[in-house]
Amino acid sequence: MPSIATLPPGTAPFADLPSRIDALPWPSLALDLDAAGWAMIPGLLDAREAASLAGCYDDDRLFRSRVVMARHNFGLGEYKYFRYPLPSPVQMLRTALYARLAPLANRWNRLMGLPVRYPDTHADFQQRCNAAGQVRPTPLLLRYGAGDYNCLHQDLYGEHVFPLQVAILLSEPGRDFEGGEFVLTEQRPRMQSRPEVVPLRQGDAVVFAVNQRPVQGARGAGHVYRVSMRHGVSRLRAGHRHTLGVIFHDAT
């Protein structure tokens, strides 16, 4: 299977990715995000595309840094941050997904009483990050082996944080690995944390809240409160698991 590094720009299998993203049922996805803080996109990538992205993990020309989780008490496993310019499929995902998620991000901030509003295009948001010294790219590939896991966390890299991000599973459960479920937790005020497991298959994506999201209170339409979310990956029992993380804000 060729890696994305060997595929010329615009070459299938990624050529129609922006139009695929535009054709997704965004009103339905927004309802899911409002209700639970996450939404699943089945089959965003096909098997060839997912394998191509996973296969580039060992091509260090594509990455700016490698993080071994155990060294930082993040869990077990490792990940690599892409360097600029991003590989074309990763850039297409970041650009097209941001444009569809920005209106929801603005609505969430308005409901939570937060003053920040996000521009229509990712290029404009990236300029805002860069002006604040957030210039390092944050899209990443994660690799787990047997016994590895990712502790619950939030991907906050600086002053400017886009409130949604996307993870795409590049490996097939039951064939490539066992265990390793994507896990979300939600902390509501004065309540215990609520966990959810997202049943991803190869090529599926999950859109989820980076930090806080609005929740409608029981006292009527005008009462909205904030809940905090974290995400992680449960322990792998066998095999290897690759994931693409699409984070829209850059890092300091």
Side-chain angles (χ1 to χ4, degrees):
M1 177 65 63
S3 77
I4 56 175
T6 66
L7 294 172
T11 298
F14 296 103
D16 65 339
L17 194 50
S19 60
R20 251 185 284 163
I21 290 169
D22 284 343
L24 292 171
W26 288 106
S28 176
L29 293 171
L31 288 175
D32 289 344
L33 283 159
D34 284 340
W38 64 273
M40 194 166 77
I41 304 174
L44 179 60
L45 302 179
D46 64 28
R48 181 187 173 195
E49 291 167 336
S52 295
L53 284 163
C56 78
Y57 190 87
D58 292 321
D59 186 351
D60 287 336
R61 297 171 298 173
L62 299 174
F63 302 97
R64 66 173 175 86
S65 65
R66 171 176 172 262
V67 177
V68 177
M69 295 185 199
R71 295 175 184 170
H72 307 277
N73 295 319
F74 294 164
L76 296 176
E78 63 180 60
Y79 54 88
K80 294 180 179 180
Y81 289 107
F82 286 102
R83 67 170 68 249
Y84 281 133
L86 298 176
S88 58
V90 179
Q91 182 63 54
M92 284 190 286
L93 285 162
R94 206 182 195 201
T95 299
L97 288 167
Y98 175 93
R100 287 295 186 167
L101 293 171
L104 176 63
N106 285 326
R107 180 163 60 80
W108 276 13
N109 274 15
R110 185 171 65 253
L111 288 170
M112 292 188 291
L114 299 174
V116 175
R117 298 294 181 267
Y118 301 95
D120 293 338
T121 70
H122 186 262
D124 287 341
F125 178 62
Q126 191 172 15
Q127 287 184 356
R128 181 185 297 178
C129 290
N130 293 168
Q134 294 176 225
V135 297
R136 295 189 298 163
T138 50
L140 70 164
L141 275 184
L142 302 100
R143 181 168 71 183
Y144 304 88
D148 291 347
Y149 63 94
N150 195 347
C151 295
L152 293 170
H153 66 282
Q154 298 171 322
D155 292 310
L156 309 173
Y157 293 102
E159 173 189 357
H160 296 286
V161 175
F162 191 74
L164 295 150
Q165 68 189 72
V166 180
I168 306 172
L169 183 60
L170 305 179
S171 308
E172 177 62 21
R175 183 193 68 197
D176 300 323
F177 67 95
E178 300 285 346
E181 295 89 355
F182 184 82
V183 180
L184 290 160
T185 64
E186 179 181 271
Q187 179 62 62
R188 300 192 178 200
R190 298 177 298 280
M191 296 174 66
Q192 293 183 330
S193 295
R194 181 176 68 180
E196 290 210 55
V197 173
V198 181
L200 298 172
R201 310 293 299 189
Q202 185 180 40
D204 291 351
V206 56
V207 186
F208 57 97
V210 173
N211 182 4
Q212 293 183 323
R213 73 176 186 94
V215 172
Q216 181 66 54
R219 290 184 287 172
H223 178 59
V224 173
Y225 61 95
R226 306 175 193 177
V227 300
S228 180
M229 299 191 70
R230 296 178 182 274
H231 63 280
V233 173
S234 68
R235 191 181 302 273
L236 262 73
R237 296 189 294 273
H240 289 87
R241 180 189 192 274
H242 289 83
T243 307
L244 172 67
V246 182
I247 299 166
F248 299 101
H249 45 277
D250 282 343
T252 54

